[in-house]
Each structure stands twice: as C-alpha cells, then as structure tokens.
Amino acid sequence: MATPLSADKMIAALKAEGVAPVEREGWRTHNRNEAGPWGGVNGVLIHHTAGRDSLDLVWDGRSDLPGPLAHTHLAKNGTATMTGNGRANHAGRAARNAFDAVVAESSTHPAPSAASGTVDGNQHFYGIEIENLGDGDDPYPGAQYDKAVRWAAAICRAHGWTQHSVVGHKETSVEGKIDPSFSMNNFRAKVADRLSHDAGWDPVAPAADEGAEDGTGVLDG
C-alpha cells in the first residue's frame, strides 16, 4: 500500500504527464473522508459516466450516493477537471481476488468473484469518470482517450506502479458493473508504453478520432 498523493503532488504529476488539469474550486477538500478511511492506495480505477454533461453529477453525487463520485472528470475534448481529493464514492465493493491481483501487479486480472470476499474499493483506488454513454456505440475521441492514458500513467509513475495497477470498474466490482466500455488490455498497453518513456514524452498527436477507442474496445485507425 502507498500513501495517497497530496493535492499538490497529484497536480504536479498530471502536469508533468501532459494532462493540464483544471482545478475546480474546493476540490482539494472535497471528499468522503468522514465516511471511512482513505488509503493506503493500491491502484487506479477507470469508469465511464454513462451519460452526458456529467461534471456536476460527479461533483455532487446523487441522493443515494454523495459526491465526489471520482477524483477527476474527463470531458470529450480531453479536459480533466479535478473533482475530489481523498476518499470518493466511485469503487464500491471490490472483489478480493481482483483486488489481490492489483496489489500483486499481476499480468492476469481475474473476473471478480464475490465468493472471494470483498474490499472497500473507495479506500484503496483513485478514480476517473470518462464522459461516455457506455452503450458500445459512443466513441472515445483521440484527445479524451489520450488524456485518460496520461492520467493513469501519471499516478502509476508517481507511485512506482506498473500498468497492472490500472483496472476497470468491470474488472473489480461484485455488483456487475460494465465500465469502461473499452478494452482494458488495450488501455493498459497504452499506459505501459507511456511508462517506458519519460513523463514529458509527447508522440505525434493523433487526429481528432485517429487511434481512439470506439465504444466496443476496438482501436480505430
């Protein structure tokens, strides 16, 4: 387990990786720490919003689930807005077998099994909500997908983790979650590629949708 990054260290890591985070007023103290512990941290959890214009929802939460619902919201154009610092209501119950694979940074990510027991995912995972309908048809534009990769790589780099500390909600949840609606193996490969270079590595930027993920997890371009 690792000590969670401070707000300043998170911002520095993201900027170094080329994310250019937007700091929404109040994000540094916006959390659910009163509901339970935050950290040690073990990994990075990827979500899709399953809706449009969801920044306020990620910040405020719902009547049955107070915000923040992630640490960062990622818009279609690649704008990463900081929405929480500390415990966030995003991971829920993580299957013990899936969690243990993340802790071990295993190259194999087993299907989550409730029979293995559960772990408080909100305590141990950073989370990002990527704006997408999650219906298998809504694409992830190149700029958005690139920033998601950079976001995950930045946190892994800061903690000295490999790409196998990055998992999708669908790979940990015992509640049948389906997000994100793209291939996590493809995504982890992109994170690994970034981690094999310095944080400032900036390959030739793709066109708007070139090299992006479509909604089915197949790389376009």
Side-chain angles (χ1 to χ4, degrees), residues 145 149 163 184-195:
Y145 191 80
V149 170
Q163 75 273 19
M184 283 306 302
N185 286 331
N186 287 350
F187 189 83
R188 278 188 287 268
K190 294 289 187 181
V191 172
D193 195 19
R194 281 212 64 83
L195 292 175

Side-chain angles (χ1 to χ4, degrees), residues 112-148:
S113 170
S116 68
T118 61
V119 174
D120 177 5
N122 294 332
Q123 177 181 351
H124 298 294
F125 286 106
Y126 297 96
I128 188 170
E129 283 282 0
I130 304 172
E131 186 98 350
N132 191 276
L133 295 178
D135 59 3
D137 294 319
D138 190 17
Y140 296 81
Q144 183 186 43
Y145 191 80
D146 175 65
K147 289 303 188 297

Side-chain angles (χ1 to χ4, degrees), residues 4 9-10 47 59 62 74 93 106 125 155 167 193 198 204:
K9 287 183 177 179
M10 172 69 88
H47 306 266
W59 180 273
R62 311 187 304 260
L74 187 61
R93 292 185 300 145
S106 171
F125 286 106
I155 296 173
V167 284
D193 195 19
D198 292 336
V204 176

Side-chain angles (χ1 to χ4, degrees), residues 10-11 14 21-32 49 54-61 66-75 79-90 126-130 151:
M10 172 69 88
I11 292 298
L14 293 176
V22 174
E23 297 191 59
R24 182 164 177 164
E25 184 177 359
W27 82 273
R28 290 169 179 258
T29 56
H30 190 46
N31 55 56
R32 293 291 297 160
T49 61
S54 51
L55 175 56
D56 286 342
L57 175 63
V58 172
W59 180 273
D60 293 326
L69 302 185
H71 298 97
T72 305
H73 172 274
L74 187 61
T79 299
T81 302
M82 306 307 295
T83 52
N85 177 42
R87 182 183 176 95
N89 274 334
H90 71 104
Y126 297 96
I128 188 170
E129 283 282 0
I130 304 172
W151 183 90

Side-chain angles (χ1 to χ4, degrees), residues 193-211:
D193 195 19
R194 281 212 64 83
L195 292 175
S196 71
H197 297 83
D198 292 336
W201 180 56
D202 196 17
V204 176
D209 293 304
E210 181 184 352

